[in-house]
Amino acid sequence: MTVTDTAPKTTDAATDAATAAAAAEAAARDGDACVTAHVAHPRPDGEDHYTISEVAALTGLSAHTLRWYERIGLMPHIDRSHTGQRRFRNQDLNWLEFIGKLRLTGMPVADMVRYAELVREGDHTYEARQDLLRTTREGVLRRIGELQDALAVLDYKIRFYGSATAPHPVATAEGA
């Protein structure tokens, strides 16, 4: 799922404070979901019932992956229709956005499931959640350093080849 920021860009301190307050309120309402940017949902809250195929299309995840996330405890309880079909809500889309960010960090699935369990256990688990996220952050910073080193090598080679003269033809028996 792609996060889109439809709000105008301003540097007004009052606007920044209002945005932070709205993010904090959304976090409390959405059960610790990703609230780093305004997510434009296709439907407003209250009218936000999505089928699994709609969520798959919105997030880029397969229906199989969404079912697996639910089965292993990575997703919170998903409402069902009277016929048993899953009915996802905007808060579920927010959670999937957050899980996508955790996946990008390289966090193991078991740690993501543990994080989800901590969220479900309630506010008294903030410290454990923070520890888990700090550990993941340290790993991300290590990977960034490794990637910066690899980038420096690539930049060196690109400069080298850009300034190198064309190689001299090799004499062969036929061309000599």
Side-chain angles (χ1 to χ4, degrees):
M1 179 172 161
T2 303
V3 174
T4 56
D5 188 351
T6 57
K9 305 285 186 227
T10 65
T11 57
D12 185 307
T15 302
D16 291 344
T19 301
E25 180 182 325
R29 183 183 66 246
D30 292 345
D32 206 39
C34 180
V35 291
T36 57
H38 173 71
V39 177
H41 295 297
R43 299 180 187 135
D45 289 344
E47 299 173 22
D48 56 336
H49 292 90
Y50 305 93
T51 64
I52 197 165
S53 60
E54 289 173 319
V55 173
L58 288 168
T59 63
L61 299 169
S62 70
H64 175 77
T65 298
L66 293 167
R67 288 184 198 101
W68 181 65
Y69 280 5
E70 186 180 10
R71 187 170 52 252
I72 65 172
L74 192 51
M75 288 292 300
H77 171 75
I78 303 298
D79 291 333
R80 302 274 180 151
S81 71
H82 68 284
T83 60
Q85 290 182 322
R86 289 170 180 83
R87 292 291 181 224
F88 294 83
R89 304 183 64 96
N90 288 337
Q91 66 187 21
D92 301 318
L93 297 179
N94 293 346
W95 180 256
L96 288 167
E97 178 76 17
F98 179 65
I99 293 302
K101 300 294 186 211
L102 294 180
R103 287 181 64 214
L104 285 173
T105 70
M107 179 185 271
V109 172
D111 287 348
M112 287 189 277
V113 171
R114 177 67 185 135
Y115 184 88
E117 290 168 350
L118 291 168
V119 169
R120 286 190 291 274
E121 288 176 22
D123 293 350
H124 69 280
T125 64
Y126 277 10
E127 188 175 339
R129 288 186 239 175
Q130 190 177 39
D131 290 344
L132 190 56
L133 294 175
R134 278 191 181 128
T135 300
T136 300
R137 184 178 189 279
E138 290 167 7
V140 168
L141 290 173
R142 273 192 306 276
R143 285 186 38 226
I144 288 171
E146 292 166 354
L147 289 171
Q148 286 174 332
D149 290 345
L151 182 61
V153 170
L154 290 174
D155 288 342
Y156 169 79
K157 291 302 251 180
I158 289 167
R159 284 191 308 274
F160 173 80
Y161 290 123
S163 63
T165 58
H168 300 306
V170 176
T172 62
E174 293 175 359

